[in-house]
């Protein structure tokens, strides 16, 4: 696995996550947040003004019957509501624009970072779970920022302003209410701690459910062929049921603040009414201050309720943000060395010097040494598990050997940049992969600056031009998901065309014809013959039609090189491994040569 970096900003707490998000985004969006905060301040002050003006309305308009100030009061209330409406609109649009930009930036950043992680990371991690994690969690960054801004500038300021009105109107009642508040806050804090772990579990379970569905869709032909529908349905339903239970638990924990805050509000309002009625009945106190106090108390309830839920909401958003940072903090296992230089390929001669490699603790290669001469074809043969695919994976540095050296034209690939190394390589895999887009786009991925004429020439050399032109839109035909509308041989020839248009001096072929029928193999083999001309080719040979044409054959067994030579010399070795393989495959060879 890639290592997780220990960032200087601690992301284990909500505060740590918030500090990191602000550090990464605050400066770029300071204007947008400043405008939103200004709008929220207007919302808060207009709300407080509504409560404050109630005393004047009750005492002057109703008690003292002063008609001269009624119109002024009504106009000021109207203007306060107008200002509040436009300010609410302004802050909502501003925060949405900033939030959408943050989500887009992190999506780009995550994708760019995923491209830096090694092949080993993807071997250890299910792609569907990565996709689910990114799609579910990236909004957590935005939510943390938006919750912070709205809670601070609107809810907290509104609450403080309304509390100031309450204290101004009746300090004793305000003191009584605040004495009752600490137990409420302690209860909400306890809920947020319990919610943190449950939320993380729910996110993992939802990712597993999403991943299982995606895998079933991608492998739908296998699912139906083996009548796996009911078995997979049981498995997915089980995951979904557990995820549903976790979501219900989150709902129960998240909403427990409602009875706590409502009970507190009910007790406060009932107490205030009793106290105000007592003073009005027995001490003849004017009702204006009381109405202003009650208005402020009732208006303060909404921001207080949102503030009460803030820690719970922040915990949920922070869990999402934290999981995104766990992914972003993954450090690539492979990094270019400080002294790494650009690879200069001349003859494209590849040499393995006593190379060993292990996946984890299991050794795969043991002291492998051989030379693939420049401009010639070297075939790797041997039984399954001999280490052939590992050699192909080590040349472009998908993995690094545990010991030994891989030399290209006298340069150790460990001391050249991966970018310059891979620019000298073209790769055709056993299972060709096509990307979303047109046939032309998929060939052009081999070399983005290739012209249309070069793409069509590569397709002709790959014996793909004729079937491409038979498609509804020719080279502009959309290939469907992973080329589902094309046959295996057609997909493989497009993969070869992609390799040809790259025009790289080294070509790696990983059993490029093993999964094809005889007719498709014949067409693909013609394309491969064109692709191999004048290049250094390292090919994993599955069928003798490839082996007999190789300049050198390297025979492997249990991670070691046991024989080297060409077809004629190796086939004559009595009791040799290659001779035995040749005898086993001779009928197939006679059909394919």
């Amino acid at each position: 696995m890639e290592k997780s970096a220990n960032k200087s900003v601690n992301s284990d707490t909500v505060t740590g996550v918030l500090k990191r998000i602000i550090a990464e985004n605050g400066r770029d969006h300071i204007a947008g947040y400043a405008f939103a905060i200004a709008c929220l301040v207007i919302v808060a002050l207009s709300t407080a003004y509504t409560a404050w003006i109630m005393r004047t309305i009750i005492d002057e308009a109703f008690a003292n019957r002063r008609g001269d100030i009624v119109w002024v009061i009504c106009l000021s209330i109207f203007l306060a509501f107008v200002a509040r409406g436009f300010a609410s609109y302004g802050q909502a649009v501003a925060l949405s624009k900033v939030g959408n930009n943050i989500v887009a930036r992190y999506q780009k950043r995550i994708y760019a970072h995923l491209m830096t992680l090694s092949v080993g990371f993807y071997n250890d991690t299910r792609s569907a779970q990565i996709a689910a994690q990114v799609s579910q969690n990236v909004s957590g960054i935005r939510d943390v920022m938006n919750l912070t801004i709205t809670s601070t500038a609107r809810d907290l300021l509104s609450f403080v302003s309304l509390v100031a009105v309450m204290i101004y109107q009746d300090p004793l009642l305000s003191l009584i209410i605040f004495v009752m508040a600490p137990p409420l806050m302690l209860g909400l804090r306890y809920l947020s701690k319990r919610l943190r772990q449950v939320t993380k579990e729910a996110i993992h379970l939802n990712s597993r459910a999403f991943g299982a569905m995606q895998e079933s869709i991608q492998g739908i032909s296998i699912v139906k062929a083996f009548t796996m529908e009911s078995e997979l349905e049981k498995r997915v339903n089980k995951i979904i049921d557990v995820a549903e239970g976790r979501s219900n638990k989150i709902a129960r924990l998240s909403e427990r603040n409602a009875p706590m805050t409502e009970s507190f509000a009910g007790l406060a309002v009932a107490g205030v009414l009793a106290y105000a009625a007592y003073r009005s009945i027995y001490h003849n106190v004017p009702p204006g201050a009381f109405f202003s106090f009650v208005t402020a108390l009732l208006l303060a309830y909404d921001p207080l309720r949102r503030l009460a839920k803030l820690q719970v909401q922040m915990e949920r958003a922070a869990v999402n943000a934290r999981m995104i940072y766990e992914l972003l903090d993954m450090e690539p296992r492979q990094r270019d060395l400080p002294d790494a230089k650009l690879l200069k390929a001349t003859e494209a001669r590849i040499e393995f010097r006593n190379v060993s490699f292990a996946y984890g603790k299991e050794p795969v290669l043991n002291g492998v040494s051989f030379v693939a001469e420049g401009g010639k074809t070297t075939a790797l043969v041997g039984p399954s598990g001999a280490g052939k695919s590992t050699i192909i994976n080590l040349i472009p540095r998908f993995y690094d050997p545990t010991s030994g050296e891989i030399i290209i034209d006298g340069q150790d690939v460990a001391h050249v940049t991966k970018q310059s190394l891979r620019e000298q390589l073209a790769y055709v895999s056993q299972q060709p992969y096509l990307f979303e887009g047109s046939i032309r786009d998929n060939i052009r991925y081999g070399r983005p600056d290739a012209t249309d004429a070069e793409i069509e020439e590569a397709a002709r050399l790959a014996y793909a031009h004729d079937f491409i032109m038979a498609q509804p839109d020719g080279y502009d035909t959309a290939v469907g998901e992973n080329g589902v509308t094309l046959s295996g041989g057609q997909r493989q020839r497009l993969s070869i065309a992609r390799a040809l248009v790259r025009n790289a001096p080294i070509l790696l072929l990983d059993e490029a014809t093993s999964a094809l029928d005889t007719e498709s193999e014949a067409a693909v083999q013609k394309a491969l013959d064109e692709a191999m001309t004048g290049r250094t080719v390292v090919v994993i040979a599955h069928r003798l039609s490839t082996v007999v044409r190789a300049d050198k054959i390297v025979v492997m067994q249990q991670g070691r090189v046991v024989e080297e030579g060409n077809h004629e010399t190796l086939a004559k070795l009595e009791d040799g491994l290659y001779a035995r393989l040749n005898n086993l495959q001779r009928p197939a060879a006679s059909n394919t040569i």
Side-chain angles (χ1 to χ4, degrees):
M1 287 290 292
E2 264 64 359
K3 296 179 179 178
S4 181
N6 185 15
K7 295 292 183 181
S8 57
V9 178
N10 183 2
S11 297
D12 291 337
T13 64
V14 173
T15 303
V17 171
L18 178 59
K19 286 181 178 179
R20 182 167 178 180
I21 294 173
I22 291 175
E24 294 179 354
N25 301 283
R27 181 175 297 179
D28 295 334
H29 297 291
I30 190 168
Y33 282 129
F35 176 76
I37 289 171
C39 291
L40 289 168
V41 168
I42 294 173
V43 172
L45 294 179
S46 63
T47 302
Y49 175 78
T50 305
W52 179 81
I53 200 67
M54 287 302 296
R55 180 172 185 173
T56 304
I57 293 173
I58 298 299
D59 288 346
E60 299 299 329
F62 293 97
N64 298 330
R65 302 178 184 275
R66 291 189 56 189
D68 56 317
I69 66 170
V70 169
W71 296 108
V72 175
I73 294 172
C74 292
L75 179 62
S76 69
I77 292 174
F78 170 72
L79 293 176
F81 273 85
V82 170
R84 182 178 177 179
F86 278 99
S88 297
Y89 170 80
Q91 65 86 20
V93 172
L95 288 180
S96 294
K97 184 177 180 180
V98 171
N100 292 337
N101 181 259
I102 287 176
V103 169
R105 288 176 58 184
Y106 274 87
Q107 287 174 333
K108 294 175 184 176
R109 181 178 167 187
I110 291 166
Y111 181 78
H113 182 69
L114 287 172
M115 293 299 98
T116 69
L117 299 180
S118 69
V119 173
F121 169 78
Y122 295 99
N123 289 341
D124 296 335
T125 311
R126 292 170 62 199
S127 60
Q129 282 191 268
I130 296 174
Q133 183 175 340
V134 171
S135 64
Q136 290 185 55
N137 300 147
V138 72
S139 60
I141 307 287
R142 174 193 61 198
D143 294 342
V144 168
M145 287 295 287
N146 285 0
L147 283 170
T148 301
I149 297 297
T150 56
S151 297
T152 302
R154 182 191 64 192
D155 297 331
L156 184 59
L157 184 57
S158 294
F159 182 70
V160 170
S161 301
L162 290 166
V163 166
V165 173
M166 290 163 59
I167 293 173
Y168 175 78
Q169 303 296 0
D170 199 317
L172 180 59
L173 273 178
S174 303
L175 179 63
I176 293 172
I177 289 174
F178 281 111
V179 168
M180 300 164 57
L184 173 66
M185 304 312 295
L186 290 174
L188 293 170
R189 185 177 180 184
Y190 169 74
L191 285 179
S192 66
K193 285 183 178 180
R194 290 194 59 190
L195 187 65
R196 183 187 306 173
Q197 184 59 36
V198 179
T199 300
K200 191 167 186 177
E201 292 173 2
I203 291 170
H204 280 302
L205 287 167
N206 287 331
S207 297
R208 284 183 59 198
F210 180 88
M213 291 180 188
Q214 184 172 334
E215 286 178 343
S216 299
I217 293 169
Q218 290 175 340
I220 191 64
S221 58
I222 301 298
V223 172
K224 292 186 176 297
F226 286 88
T227 60
M228 297 163 58
E229 293 94 337
S230 60
E231 191 62 32
L232 287 175
E233 186 177 351
K234 290 177 186 176
R235 189 179 125 209
V236 172
N237 286 349
K238 185 177 179 181
I239 297 172
I240 292 174
D241 288 342
V242 177
E244 181 187 12
R246 288 292 185 277
S247 298
N248 289 336
K249 189 171 183 179
I250 289 173
R252 289 194 300 270
L253 289 173
S254 300
E255 300 305 324
R256 276 183 194 172
N257 64 78
M260 295 171 65
T261 52
E262 293 290 347
S263 299
F264 172 80
L267 182 62
V269 171
V272 166
L273 288 172
Y275 174 71
Y278 171 80
R279 291 205 304 167
S280 178
I281 294 170
Y282 296 104
H283 298 283
N284 199 28
V285 176
F290 163 70
F291 273 100
S292 179
F293 182 92
V294 170
T295 303
L297 178 62
L298 294 175
L299 289 175
Y301 173 67
D302 266 349
L304 176 63
R305 179 172 52 82
R306 288 193 292 265
L307 288 170
K309 293 180 67 173
L310 173 63
Q311 191 168 4
V312 174
Q313 292 174 324
M314 284 290 282
E315 284 289 354
R316 295 177 65 175
V319 167
N320 286 283
R322 201 177 292 120
M323 294 181 73
I324 288 297
Y325 281 128
E326 286 175 3
L327 183 61
L328 287 174
D329 292 346
M330 287 283 183
E331 289 187 350
R333 181 186 299 167
Q334 291 178 307
R335 287 187 178 276
D336 290 334
L337 296 175
D339 64 344
K341 299 178 180 178
L342 298 179
L343 175 66
K344 297 179 181 178
T346 52
E347 299 178 17
R349 179 180 183 272
I350 305 171
E351 181 181 358
F352 274 62
R353 295 180 182 173
N354 199 31
V355 171
S356 297
F357 179 77
Y359 293 104
K361 296 181 180 180
E362 191 69 27
V364 180
L365 299 180
N366 296 287
V368 171
S369 297
F370 70 90
V371 175
E373 296 294 346
K376 296 184 178 181
T377 298
T378 299
L380 304 175
V381 302
S384 297
K388 306 183 296 296
S389 293
T390 300
I391 287 177
I392 291 286
N393 289 332
L394 290 177
I395 294 173
R397 286 191 65 197
F398 294 158
Y399 302 92
D400 286 326
T402 52
S403 63
E405 297 174 321
I406 302 173
I407 308 297
I408 297 180
D409 289 339
Q411 303 157 84
D412 188 343
V413 298
H415 294 274
V416 301
T417 63
K418 293 194 296 293
Q419 178 78 14
S420 66
L421 168 64
R422 292 168 185 172
E423 284 175 350
Q424 305 302 319
L425 304 172
Y427 176 66
V428 180
S429 67
Q430 181 178 0
Q431 298 294 334
Y433 194 91
L434 300 182
F435 298 87
E436 181 184 0
S438 66
I439 290 175
R440 191 189 309 277
D441 293 334
N442 272 275
I443 298 176
R444 183 173 272 126
Y445 280 128
R447 182 160 56 88
D449 61 350
T451 64
D452 287 348
E454 289 173 325
I455 288 171
E456 293 177 16
E457 178 62 21
R460 287 188 178 92
L461 292 174
Y463 293 87
H465 179 75
D466 290 342
F467 87 76
I468 292 173
M469 295 307 297
Q471 300 297 313
D473 297 312
Y475 282 84
D476 295 319
T477 301
V479 298
E481 186 172 356
N482 194 22
V484 69
T485 58
L486 304 175
S487 70
Q490 290 172 335
R491 291 197 299 270
Q492 192 63 284
R493 278 179 276 171
L494 290 182
S495 179
I496 293 168
R498 184 164 57 200
L500 285 170
V501 82
R502 190 168 182 81
N503 198 27
I506 298 173
L507 177 63
L508 306 178
L509 302 175
D510 186 358
E511 297 186 309
T513 63
S514 64
L516 303 179
D517 57 60
T518 303
E519 184 178 354
S520 296
E521 182 193 5
V524 170
Q525 190 59 55
K526 289 181 181 179
L528 288 175
D529 289 341
E530 292 286 350
M532 293 189 291
T533 303
R535 291 182 171 86
T536 300
V537 181
V538 180
V539 53
I540 295 178
H542 182 77
R543 300 190 184 182
L544 293 180
S545 57
T546 303
V547 173
V548 296
R549 292 176 174 84
D551 298 291
K552 177 188 287 187
I553 298 170
V554 177
V555 186
M556 300 189 64
Q557 186 175 32
Q558 296 180 346
R560 298 181 184 275
V561 175
V562 293
E563 296 170 14
E564 282 190 61
N566 59 28
H567 175 73
E568 288 75 14
T569 58
L570 291 175
K572 294 175 183 178
L573 292 177
E574 294 185 6
D575 299 325
L577 176 59
Y578 181 81
R580 293 200 305 271
L581 293 174
N582 182 45
N583 290 333
L584 289 171
Q585 297 191 34
R586 185 173 294 167
S590 64
N591 291 330
T592 56
I593 296 174

